[in-house]
Short mmCIF file of all heavy atoms in Angstrom, two decimals:
data_model
loop_
_atom_site.label_atom_id
_atom_site.label_comp_id
_atom_site.label_asym_id
_atom_site.label_seq_id
_atom_site.Cartn_x
_atom_site.Cartn_y
_atom_site.Cartn_z
N MET A 1 4.83 -18.30 72.86
CA MET A 1 4.27 -17.10 72.25
C MET A 1 4.68 -17.05 70.79
O MET A 1 5.86 -17.18 70.46
CB MET A 1 4.80 -15.88 73.00
CG MET A 1 4.22 -14.60 72.57
SD MET A 1 4.86 -13.34 73.70
CE MET A 1 4.14 -11.92 73.05
N SER A 2 3.72 -16.90 69.89
CA SER A 2 4.05 -16.86 68.47
C SER A 2 4.24 -15.43 68.01
O SER A 2 3.66 -14.50 68.57
CB SER A 2 2.94 -17.53 67.67
OG SER A 2 1.75 -16.80 67.82
N ALA A 3 5.07 -15.28 66.99
CA ALA A 3 5.32 -13.95 66.43
C ALA A 3 4.07 -13.48 65.70
O ALA A 3 3.37 -14.26 65.07
CB ALA A 3 6.50 -14.01 65.47
N ARG A 4 3.82 -12.21 65.82
CA ARG A 4 2.66 -11.63 65.18
C ARG A 4 3.12 -10.90 63.91
O ARG A 4 4.11 -10.18 63.93
CB ARG A 4 2.01 -10.64 66.12
CG ARG A 4 0.69 -10.15 65.65
CD ARG A 4 0.02 -9.47 66.78
NE ARG A 4 -1.19 -8.84 66.29
CZ ARG A 4 -2.00 -8.17 67.04
NH1 ARG A 4 -1.73 -8.03 68.31
NH2 ARG A 4 -3.06 -7.62 66.55
N ARG A 5 2.40 -11.08 62.85
CA ARG A 5 2.76 -10.45 61.58
C ARG A 5 2.21 -9.03 61.55
O ARG A 5 1.01 -8.82 61.72
CB ARG A 5 2.22 -11.25 60.42
CG ARG A 5 2.62 -10.67 59.11
CD ARG A 5 2.03 -11.46 57.98
NE ARG A 5 2.23 -10.70 56.75
CZ ARG A 5 2.45 -11.26 55.60
NH1 ARG A 5 2.49 -12.55 55.49
NH2 ARG A 5 2.61 -10.52 54.53
N VAL A 6 3.09 -8.08 61.30
CA VAL A 6 2.70 -6.68 61.14
C VAL A 6 3.10 -6.27 59.73
O VAL A 6 4.21 -6.53 59.30
CB VAL A 6 3.40 -5.77 62.18
CG1 VAL A 6 3.07 -4.31 61.91
CG2 VAL A 6 3.01 -6.17 63.59
N THR A 7 2.18 -5.66 59.01
CA THR A 7 2.49 -5.19 57.67
C THR A 7 2.30 -3.67 57.60
O THR A 7 1.46 -3.10 58.29
CB THR A 7 1.61 -5.85 56.59
OG1 THR A 7 0.26 -5.51 56.82
CG2 THR A 7 1.78 -7.35 56.60
N VAL A 8 3.12 -3.05 56.77
CA VAL A 8 3.07 -1.60 56.57
C VAL A 8 2.91 -1.37 55.07
O VAL A 8 3.69 -1.88 54.27
CB VAL A 8 4.38 -0.93 57.06
CG1 VAL A 8 4.33 0.57 56.82
CG2 VAL A 8 4.61 -1.24 58.53
N THR A 9 1.89 -0.59 54.72
CA THR A 9 1.63 -0.28 53.32
C THR A 9 1.69 1.23 53.15
O THR A 9 1.00 1.97 53.86
CB THR A 9 0.23 -0.79 52.90
OG1 THR A 9 0.14 -2.18 53.20
CG2 THR A 9 -0.02 -0.54 51.43
N GLU A 10 2.49 1.67 52.20
CA GLU A 10 2.63 3.10 51.93
C GLU A 10 1.53 3.56 50.99
O GLU A 10 1.31 2.97 49.94
CB GLU A 10 3.99 3.36 51.29
CG GLU A 10 4.20 4.79 50.93
CD GLU A 10 5.53 5.01 50.22
OE1 GLU A 10 6.23 4.02 49.95
OE2 GLU A 10 5.85 6.15 49.94
N CYS A 11 0.84 4.62 51.36
CA CYS A 11 -0.13 5.26 50.47
C CYS A 11 0.57 6.45 49.85
O CYS A 11 0.93 7.39 50.57
CB CYS A 11 -1.35 5.74 51.25
SG CYS A 11 -2.29 4.41 51.97
N PRO A 12 0.79 6.47 48.55
CA PRO A 12 1.50 7.57 47.91
C PRO A 12 0.88 8.93 48.25
O PRO A 12 -0.32 9.13 48.06
CB PRO A 12 1.38 7.27 46.42
CG PRO A 12 1.17 5.79 46.37
CD PRO A 12 0.37 5.45 47.59
N GLY A 13 1.68 9.81 48.80
CA GLY A 13 1.20 11.14 49.17
C GLY A 13 0.33 11.15 50.41
O GLY A 13 -0.24 12.18 50.77
N GLY A 14 0.22 10.01 51.09
CA GLY A 14 -0.66 9.91 52.26
C GLY A 14 -0.02 9.14 53.38
O GLY A 14 1.20 9.13 53.52
N PRO A 15 -0.84 8.49 54.19
CA PRO A 15 -0.34 7.83 55.39
C PRO A 15 0.31 6.47 55.12
O PRO A 15 0.32 5.98 53.99
CB PRO A 15 -1.62 7.64 56.22
CG PRO A 15 -2.68 7.44 55.19
CD PRO A 15 -2.29 8.35 54.05
N LEU A 16 0.81 5.87 56.19
CA LEU A 16 1.20 4.47 56.19
C LEU A 16 0.06 3.70 56.82
O LEU A 16 -0.46 4.09 57.87
CB LEU A 16 2.46 4.25 57.03
CG LEU A 16 3.75 4.88 56.54
CD1 LEU A 16 4.87 4.65 57.56
CD2 LEU A 16 4.15 4.31 55.19
N LEU A 17 -0.35 2.62 56.16
CA LEU A 17 -1.39 1.76 56.73
C LEU A 17 -0.70 0.62 57.46
O LEU A 17 0.10 -0.11 56.88
CB LEU A 17 -2.29 1.21 55.64
CG LEU A 17 -3.05 2.25 54.82
CD1 LEU A 17 -3.92 1.57 53.77
CD2 LEU A 17 -3.89 3.15 55.72
N ILE A 18 -0.99 0.50 58.75
CA ILE A 18 -0.36 -0.50 59.61
C ILE A 18 -1.40 -1.56 59.96
O ILE A 18 -2.46 -1.24 60.50
CB ILE A 18 0.14 0.13 60.93
CG1 ILE A 18 0.91 1.43 60.67
CG2 ILE A 18 0.94 -0.88 61.73
CD1 ILE A 18 2.19 1.27 59.94
N ARG A 19 -1.06 -2.80 59.64
CA ARG A 19 -1.95 -3.91 59.97
C ARG A 19 -1.26 -4.84 60.96
O ARG A 19 -0.12 -5.22 60.75
CB ARG A 19 -2.29 -4.71 58.71
CG ARG A 19 -3.16 -3.97 57.75
CD ARG A 19 -3.43 -4.81 56.49
NE ARG A 19 -4.37 -4.15 55.63
CZ ARG A 19 -4.06 -3.20 54.75
NH1 ARG A 19 -2.81 -2.83 54.62
NH2 ARG A 19 -4.98 -2.63 54.00
N GLY A 20 -1.97 -5.19 62.03
CA GLY A 20 -1.48 -6.20 62.96
C GLY A 20 -0.65 -5.69 64.13
O GLY A 20 -0.16 -6.48 64.91
N ALA A 21 -0.51 -4.38 64.28
CA ALA A 21 0.31 -3.83 65.39
C ALA A 21 -0.53 -3.64 66.65
O ALA A 21 -1.75 -3.46 66.58
CB ALA A 21 0.92 -2.50 64.96
N ASP A 22 0.13 -3.68 67.80
CA ASP A 22 -0.53 -3.40 69.08
C ASP A 22 -0.29 -1.96 69.50
O ASP A 22 -1.08 -1.37 70.22
CB ASP A 22 0.03 -4.30 70.18
CG ASP A 22 -0.35 -5.75 69.96
OD1 ASP A 22 -1.46 -6.02 69.46
OD2 ASP A 22 0.48 -6.63 70.29
N GLU A 23 0.85 -1.42 69.05
CA GLU A 23 1.24 -0.08 69.47
C GLU A 23 2.09 0.53 68.36
O GLU A 23 2.83 -0.18 67.68
CB GLU A 23 2.06 -0.20 70.76
CG GLU A 23 2.44 1.10 71.40
CD GLU A 23 3.18 0.86 72.71
OE1 GLU A 23 2.51 0.71 73.73
OE2 GLU A 23 4.42 0.81 72.68
N VAL A 24 1.98 1.84 68.17
CA VAL A 24 2.80 2.51 67.16
C VAL A 24 3.40 3.78 67.78
O VAL A 24 2.85 4.34 68.73
CB VAL A 24 2.00 2.88 65.89
CG1 VAL A 24 1.49 1.64 65.19
CG2 VAL A 24 0.86 3.81 66.24
N VAL A 25 4.53 4.24 67.21
CA VAL A 25 5.16 5.48 67.65
C VAL A 25 5.20 6.42 66.44
O VAL A 25 5.70 6.05 65.38
CB VAL A 25 6.59 5.22 68.17
CG1 VAL A 25 7.24 6.53 68.60
CG2 VAL A 25 6.55 4.22 69.32
N GLY A 26 4.63 7.60 66.58
CA GLY A 26 4.54 8.55 65.49
C GLY A 26 5.81 9.34 65.27
O GLY A 26 6.79 9.22 66.03
N ILE A 27 5.79 10.18 64.23
CA ILE A 27 6.98 10.96 63.87
C ILE A 27 7.34 11.99 64.94
O ILE A 27 8.46 12.45 64.98
CB ILE A 27 6.80 11.67 62.50
CG1 ILE A 27 5.55 12.54 62.50
CG2 ILE A 27 6.76 10.65 61.38
CD1 ILE A 27 5.36 13.33 61.21
N ASP A 28 6.40 12.32 65.81
CA ASP A 28 6.68 13.26 66.90
C ASP A 28 7.03 12.54 68.18
O ASP A 28 7.20 13.16 69.22
CB ASP A 28 5.49 14.19 67.11
CG ASP A 28 4.29 13.44 67.65
OD1 ASP A 28 4.26 12.19 67.54
OD2 ASP A 28 3.39 14.10 68.18
N GLY A 29 7.13 11.20 68.14
CA GLY A 29 7.46 10.43 69.31
C GLY A 29 6.25 10.01 70.13
O GLY A 29 6.37 9.27 71.10
N THR A 30 5.07 10.46 69.72
CA THR A 30 3.84 10.08 70.42
C THR A 30 3.54 8.61 70.20
O THR A 30 3.60 8.11 69.09
CB THR A 30 2.65 10.91 69.88
OG1 THR A 30 2.97 12.28 69.97
CG2 THR A 30 1.39 10.60 70.64
N THR A 31 3.23 7.90 71.29
CA THR A 31 2.89 6.49 71.20
C THR A 31 1.37 6.35 71.20
O THR A 31 0.68 7.02 71.97
CB THR A 31 3.48 5.71 72.39
OG1 THR A 31 4.90 5.85 72.35
CG2 THR A 31 3.12 4.24 72.31
N GLY A 32 0.87 5.49 70.34
CA GLY A 32 -0.56 5.24 70.29
C GLY A 32 -0.85 3.75 70.38
O GLY A 32 -0.14 2.94 69.80
N THR A 33 -1.87 3.40 71.16
CA THR A 33 -2.31 2.01 71.25
C THR A 33 -3.25 1.72 70.09
O THR A 33 -4.15 2.50 69.80
CB THR A 33 -3.05 1.78 72.58
OG1 THR A 33 -2.16 2.11 73.65
CG2 THR A 33 -3.50 0.34 72.71
N VAL A 34 -3.02 0.59 69.45
CA VAL A 34 -3.82 0.20 68.29
C VAL A 34 -4.95 -0.72 68.75
O VAL A 34 -4.69 -1.74 69.38
CB VAL A 34 -2.94 -0.51 67.23
CG1 VAL A 34 -3.80 -1.01 66.09
CG2 VAL A 34 -1.85 0.42 66.74
N ASP A 35 -6.17 -0.34 68.46
CA ASP A 35 -7.31 -1.17 68.84
C ASP A 35 -8.16 -1.56 67.63
O ASP A 35 -9.30 -1.97 67.75
CB ASP A 35 -8.17 -0.47 69.89
CG ASP A 35 -8.68 0.88 69.42
OD1 ASP A 35 -8.39 1.27 68.27
OD2 ASP A 35 -9.38 1.55 70.20
N ARG A 36 -7.56 -1.41 66.44
CA ARG A 36 -8.25 -1.79 65.20
C ARG A 36 -7.34 -2.67 64.36
O ARG A 36 -6.13 -2.69 64.55
CB ARG A 36 -8.60 -0.54 64.39
CG ARG A 36 -9.64 0.32 65.06
CD ARG A 36 -10.10 1.36 64.09
NE ARG A 36 -9.59 2.66 64.50
CZ ARG A 36 -9.66 3.74 63.76
NH1 ARG A 36 -10.17 3.70 62.57
NH2 ARG A 36 -9.19 4.86 64.21
N ALA A 37 -7.93 -3.34 63.39
CA ALA A 37 -7.15 -4.22 62.52
C ALA A 37 -6.17 -3.43 61.66
O ALA A 37 -5.06 -3.85 61.40
CB ALA A 37 -8.07 -5.05 61.64
N VAL A 38 -6.60 -2.23 61.22
CA VAL A 38 -5.78 -1.38 60.36
C VAL A 38 -5.85 0.04 60.89
O VAL A 38 -6.93 0.53 61.23
CB VAL A 38 -6.28 -1.39 58.90
CG1 VAL A 38 -5.40 -0.51 58.02
CG2 VAL A 38 -6.35 -2.79 58.36
N VAL A 39 -4.70 0.69 60.97
CA VAL A 39 -4.67 2.10 61.36
C VAL A 39 -3.82 2.87 60.36
O VAL A 39 -2.94 2.31 59.71
CB VAL A 39 -4.11 2.32 62.79
CG1 VAL A 39 -5.07 1.77 63.82
CG2 VAL A 39 -2.74 1.73 62.95
N ALA A 40 -4.10 4.16 60.22
CA ALA A 40 -3.37 5.01 59.28
C ALA A 40 -2.50 5.97 60.09
O ALA A 40 -3.01 6.74 60.90
CB ALA A 40 -4.34 5.78 58.40
N MET A 41 -1.19 5.92 59.83
CA MET A 41 -0.25 6.80 60.53
C MET A 41 0.17 7.94 59.63
O MET A 41 0.51 7.74 58.46
CB MET A 41 0.98 6.02 60.97
CG MET A 41 0.70 5.05 62.08
SD MET A 41 2.22 4.42 62.76
CE MET A 41 2.85 5.88 63.54
N CYS A 42 0.18 9.13 60.20
CA CYS A 42 0.56 10.32 59.45
C CYS A 42 2.04 10.30 59.08
O CYS A 42 2.90 9.95 59.89
CB CYS A 42 0.26 11.55 60.31
SG CYS A 42 0.75 13.11 59.53
N ARG A 43 2.31 10.69 57.85
CA ARG A 43 3.70 10.87 57.38
C ARG A 43 3.99 12.32 57.03
O ARG A 43 5.12 12.69 56.81
CB ARG A 43 3.97 10.03 56.14
CG ARG A 43 4.07 8.57 56.42
CD ARG A 43 4.61 7.83 55.25
NE ARG A 43 3.82 8.05 54.04
CZ ARG A 43 4.30 7.92 52.82
NH1 ARG A 43 5.55 7.59 52.63
NH2 ARG A 43 3.52 8.10 51.77
N CYS A 44 2.93 13.14 56.91
CA CYS A 44 3.15 14.51 56.47
C CYS A 44 3.40 15.48 57.62
O CYS A 44 3.88 16.59 57.41
CB CYS A 44 1.96 14.99 55.63
SG CYS A 44 0.47 15.32 56.59
N GLY A 45 3.04 15.10 58.84
CA GLY A 45 3.24 15.95 59.99
C GLY A 45 2.17 17.02 60.17
O GLY A 45 2.25 17.84 61.07
N ARG A 46 1.14 17.01 59.34
CA ARG A 46 0.10 18.04 59.42
C ARG A 46 -1.11 17.61 60.25
O ARG A 46 -1.98 18.44 60.54
CB ARG A 46 -0.38 18.39 58.01
CG ARG A 46 0.64 19.16 57.23
CD ARG A 46 0.07 19.54 55.88
NE ARG A 46 0.90 20.52 55.24
CZ ARG A 46 2.00 20.22 54.58
NH1 ARG A 46 2.38 18.97 54.48
NH2 ARG A 46 2.73 21.16 54.03
N SER A 47 -1.19 16.35 60.60
CA SER A 47 -2.35 15.86 61.34
C SER A 47 -2.46 16.54 62.70
O SER A 47 -1.46 16.79 63.37
CB SER A 47 -2.24 14.34 61.55
OG SER A 47 -3.29 13.88 62.36
N GLU A 48 -3.67 16.82 63.10
CA GLU A 48 -3.91 17.35 64.45
C GLU A 48 -4.16 16.22 65.42
O GLU A 48 -4.47 16.48 66.58
CB GLU A 48 -5.09 18.32 64.41
CG GLU A 48 -4.75 19.56 63.61
CD GLU A 48 -5.85 20.59 63.62
OE1 GLU A 48 -6.77 20.50 64.45
OE2 GLU A 48 -5.79 21.49 62.78
N ARG A 49 -4.06 14.97 64.95
CA ARG A 49 -4.27 13.80 65.81
C ARG A 49 -3.05 12.88 65.78
O ARG A 49 -3.18 11.67 65.82
CB ARG A 49 -5.48 13.02 65.32
CG ARG A 49 -6.78 13.76 65.38
CD ARG A 49 -7.96 12.93 64.85
NE ARG A 49 -7.93 11.57 65.34
CZ ARG A 49 -7.92 10.48 64.57
NH1 ARG A 49 -7.95 10.59 63.28
NH2 ARG A 49 -7.88 9.28 65.10
N LEU A 50 -1.85 13.44 65.70
CA LEU A 50 -0.64 12.60 65.62
C LEU A 50 -0.63 11.56 66.74
O LEU A 50 -1.04 11.87 67.84
CB LEU A 50 0.62 13.48 65.72
CG LEU A 50 0.89 14.35 64.51
CD1 LEU A 50 2.02 15.32 64.79
CD2 LEU A 50 1.23 13.50 63.29
N PRO A 51 -0.21 10.35 66.49
CA PRO A 51 0.46 9.90 65.26
C PRO A 51 -0.51 9.46 64.15
O PRO A 51 -0.06 8.97 63.13
CB PRO A 51 1.29 8.72 65.76
CG PRO A 51 0.45 8.10 66.82
CD PRO A 51 -0.21 9.29 67.52
N TRP A 52 -1.80 9.66 64.34
CA TRP A 52 -2.77 9.17 63.36
C TRP A 52 -2.99 10.17 62.24
O TRP A 52 -2.93 11.38 62.44
CB TRP A 52 -4.11 8.89 64.05
CG TRP A 52 -3.97 8.14 65.32
CD1 TRP A 52 -4.32 8.56 66.56
CD2 TRP A 52 -3.41 6.83 65.51
NE1 TRP A 52 -4.01 7.62 67.50
CE2 TRP A 52 -3.45 6.54 66.89
CE3 TRP A 52 -2.87 5.88 64.66
CZ2 TRP A 52 -2.97 5.34 67.41
CZ3 TRP A 52 -2.39 4.69 65.19
CH2 TRP A 52 -2.45 4.43 66.54
N CYS A 53 -3.29 9.65 61.07
CA CYS A 53 -3.65 10.49 59.92
C CYS A 53 -5.07 11.01 60.13
O CYS A 53 -5.97 10.25 60.50
CB CYS A 53 -3.58 9.63 58.65
SG CYS A 53 -4.27 10.41 57.18
N ASP A 54 -5.27 12.30 59.89
CA ASP A 54 -6.62 12.87 59.97
C ASP A 54 -7.05 13.43 58.61
O ASP A 54 -7.96 14.25 58.53
CB ASP A 54 -6.72 13.93 61.06
CG ASP A 54 -5.93 15.19 60.72
OD1 ASP A 54 -5.23 15.21 59.68
OD2 ASP A 54 -6.00 16.15 61.50
N ASP A 55 -6.40 13.00 57.55
CA ASP A 55 -6.67 13.41 56.16
C ASP A 55 -6.20 14.82 55.85
O ASP A 55 -6.52 15.35 54.78
CB ASP A 55 -8.16 13.26 55.80
CG ASP A 55 -8.54 11.80 55.60
OD1 ASP A 55 -7.63 10.98 55.35
OD2 ASP A 55 -9.73 11.48 55.69
N SER A 56 -5.44 15.46 56.74
CA SER A 56 -4.92 16.80 56.44
C SER A 56 -4.00 16.78 55.23
O SER A 56 -3.85 17.81 54.56
CB SER A 56 -4.16 17.35 57.65
OG SER A 56 -5.03 17.57 58.72
N HIS A 57 -3.40 15.64 54.92
CA HIS A 57 -2.51 15.55 53.74
C HIS A 57 -3.29 15.83 52.46
O HIS A 57 -2.72 16.27 51.48
CB HIS A 57 -1.84 14.18 53.66
CG HIS A 57 -2.80 13.06 53.49
ND1 HIS A 57 -3.42 12.43 54.55
CD2 HIS A 57 -3.29 12.48 52.37
CE1 HIS A 57 -4.22 11.48 54.10
NE2 HIS A 57 -4.16 11.49 52.77
N ARG A 58 -4.59 15.61 52.47
CA ARG A 58 -5.40 15.84 51.27
C ARG A 58 -5.47 17.32 50.92
O ARG A 58 -5.51 17.67 49.75
CB ARG A 58 -6.80 15.28 51.45
CG ARG A 58 -6.78 13.78 51.51
CD ARG A 58 -8.14 13.22 51.58
NE ARG A 58 -8.04 11.77 51.62
CZ ARG A 58 -9.06 10.97 51.57
NH1 ARG A 58 -10.28 11.46 51.48
NH2 ARG A 58 -8.89 9.67 51.62
N ALA A 59 -5.50 18.18 51.91
CA ALA A 59 -5.53 19.63 51.65
C ALA A 59 -4.27 20.04 50.91
O ALA A 59 -4.30 20.86 50.00
CB ALA A 59 -5.64 20.39 52.96
N ARG A 60 -3.15 19.43 51.25
CA ARG A 60 -1.88 19.73 50.57
C ARG A 60 -1.95 19.32 49.11
O ARG A 60 -1.51 20.04 48.23
CB ARG A 60 -0.75 18.99 51.28
CG ARG A 60 0.59 19.26 50.69
CD ARG A 60 1.65 18.53 51.46
NE ARG A 60 2.95 18.77 50.85
CZ ARG A 60 3.97 17.99 51.01
NH1 ARG A 60 3.88 16.94 51.78
NH2 ARG A 60 5.12 18.25 50.44
N LYS A 61 -2.54 18.13 48.84
CA LYS A 61 -2.67 17.66 47.46
C LYS A 61 -3.53 18.62 46.66
O LYS A 61 -3.20 18.97 45.54
CB LYS A 61 -3.33 16.28 47.42
CG LYS A 61 -2.41 15.13 47.69
CD LYS A 61 -3.19 13.86 47.43
CE LYS A 61 -2.47 12.66 47.92
NZ LYS A 61 -3.31 11.46 47.81
N ARG A 62 -4.67 19.06 47.25
CA ARG A 62 -5.56 19.98 46.54
C ARG A 62 -4.84 21.28 46.23
O ARG A 62 -4.96 21.83 45.15
CB ARG A 62 -6.81 20.25 47.38
CG ARG A 62 -7.84 19.13 47.31
CD ARG A 62 -9.17 19.60 47.87
NE ARG A 62 -9.08 19.93 49.27
CZ ARG A 62 -9.34 19.08 50.25
NH1 ARG A 62 -9.70 17.86 49.98
NH2 ARG A 62 -9.25 19.44 51.50
N ARG A 63 -4.06 21.78 47.20
CA ARG A 63 -3.33 23.03 47.02
C ARG A 63 -2.31 22.88 45.89
O ARG A 63 -2.17 23.74 45.04
CB ARG A 63 -2.66 23.43 48.34
CG ARG A 63 -2.41 24.91 48.47
CD ARG A 63 -1.99 25.35 49.85
NE ARG A 63 -1.09 24.48 50.54
CZ ARG A 63 -1.41 23.83 51.67
NH1 ARG A 63 -2.57 23.96 52.21
NH2 ARG A 63 -0.52 23.06 52.26
N LYS A 64 -1.62 21.74 45.86
CA LYS A 64 -0.63 21.51 44.80
C LYS A 64 -1.30 21.48 43.44
O LYS A 64 -0.82 22.06 42.48
CB LYS A 64 0.09 20.18 45.05
CG LYS A 64 1.31 20.30 45.90
CD LYS A 64 2.06 18.99 45.89
CE LYS A 64 3.36 19.13 46.60
NZ LYS A 64 4.08 17.85 46.64
N LYS A 65 -2.46 20.79 43.34
CA LYS A 65 -3.17 20.71 42.06
C LYS A 65 -3.59 22.10 41.61
O LYS A 65 -3.47 22.44 40.45
CB LYS A 65 -4.41 19.82 42.20
CG LYS A 65 -4.14 18.37 42.01
CD LYS A 65 -5.42 17.59 41.97
CE LYS A 65 -5.14 16.12 41.81
NZ LYS A 65 -6.33 15.31 41.90
N LYS A 66 -4.09 22.92 42.55
CA LYS A 66 -4.54 24.27 42.20
C LYS A 66 -3.36 25.11 41.72
O LYS A 66 -3.47 25.82 40.73
CB LYS A 66 -5.20 24.94 43.40
CG LYS A 66 -5.73 26.33 43.10
CD LYS A 66 -6.60 26.86 44.18
CE LYS A 66 -7.13 28.24 43.94
NZ LYS A 66 -6.90 28.88 42.71
N GLU A 67 -2.21 24.97 42.39
CA GLU A 67 -1.03 25.72 41.99
C GLU A 67 -0.61 25.32 40.58
O GLU A 67 -0.20 26.16 39.78
CB GLU A 67 0.12 25.48 42.97
CG GLU A 67 -0.08 26.16 44.30
CD GLU A 67 0.93 25.72 45.34
OE1 GLU A 67 1.86 24.94 45.03
OE2 GLU A 67 0.78 26.15 46.49
N GLN A 68 -0.72 24.03 40.25
CA GLN A 68 -0.34 23.55 38.92
C GLN A 68 -1.29 24.08 37.85
O GLN A 68 -0.87 24.41 36.75
CB GLN A 68 -0.30 22.03 38.89
CG GLN A 68 0.86 21.47 39.67
CD GLN A 68 0.79 19.96 39.81
OE1 GLN A 68 -0.24 19.35 39.55
NE2 GLN A 68 1.88 19.35 40.25
N THR A 69 -2.58 24.17 38.16
CA THR A 69 -3.54 24.66 37.16
C THR A 69 -3.48 26.17 37.01
O THR A 69 -3.82 26.70 35.96
CB THR A 69 -4.99 24.25 37.52
OG1 THR A 69 -5.30 24.75 38.82
CG2 THR A 69 -5.16 22.76 37.48
N ASP A 70 -3.02 26.89 38.04
CA ASP A 70 -2.91 28.34 37.98
C ASP A 70 -1.69 28.79 37.18
O ASP A 70 -1.61 29.94 36.76
CB ASP A 70 -2.82 28.95 39.39
CG ASP A 70 -4.15 28.85 40.13
OD1 ASP A 70 -5.18 28.55 39.49
OD2 ASP A 70 -4.15 29.08 41.35
N GLU A 71 -0.74 27.86 36.96
CA GLU A 71 0.49 28.25 36.26
C GLU A 71 0.27 28.37 34.76
O GLU A 71 -0.54 27.80 34.15
CB GLU A 71 1.60 27.22 36.53
CG GLU A 71 2.07 27.30 37.95
CD GLU A 71 3.11 26.21 38.29
OE1 GLU A 71 3.36 25.31 37.46
OE2 GLU A 71 3.65 26.28 39.38
S1 LIG B 1 -0.56 11.66 56.16
FE1 LIG B 1 -2.62 12.10 56.47
S2 LIG B 1 -2.61 13.80 57.76
FE2 LIG B 1 -0.54 13.35 57.47
#
């Protein structure tokens, strides 16, 4: 059996992109089976589909930008 290469790429302010994994464990302990070449794992804890990213982190970015422009 050969070792499988798994890579993790950090998206600034967003998810971790996981390539080559069969299974992942999210920040809440939820285990997910990987059936795609690349999956996005939530790091912000706001996703309603943990451990997967559902783009909820983007709402936070928009809110931060609005707060900065309102100041
Ligand atoms: S990182 Fe995308 S929803 Fe949490």
Side-chain angles (χ1 to χ4, degrees):
M1 185 174 179
S2 64
R4 189 167 173 180
R5 182 182 169 146
V6 175
T7 62
V8 179
T9 305
E10 178 184 4
C11 294
L16 293 176
L17 299 180
I18 313 294
R19 291 178 174 84
D22 293 325
E23 186 177 274
V24 296
V25 179
I27 56 177
D28 68 342
T30 306
T31 300
T33 302
V34 176
D35 58 1
R36 292 191 251 170
V38 181
V39 292
M41 290 192 68
C42 177
R43 288 192 304 156
C44 73
R46 289 184 167 81
S47 175
E48 293 184 15
R49 297 179 45 236
L50 289 171
W52 314 117
C53 170
D54 69 355
D55 286 339
S56 294
H57 63 273
R58 292 184 180 186
R60 182 179 179 202
K61 279 187 191 173
R62 281 194 296 267
R63 205 169 39 245
K64 271 189 174 178
K65 275 188 181 174
K66 182 169 179 5
E67 287 170 5
Q68 289 172 346
T69 57
D70 289 347
E71 291 176 352

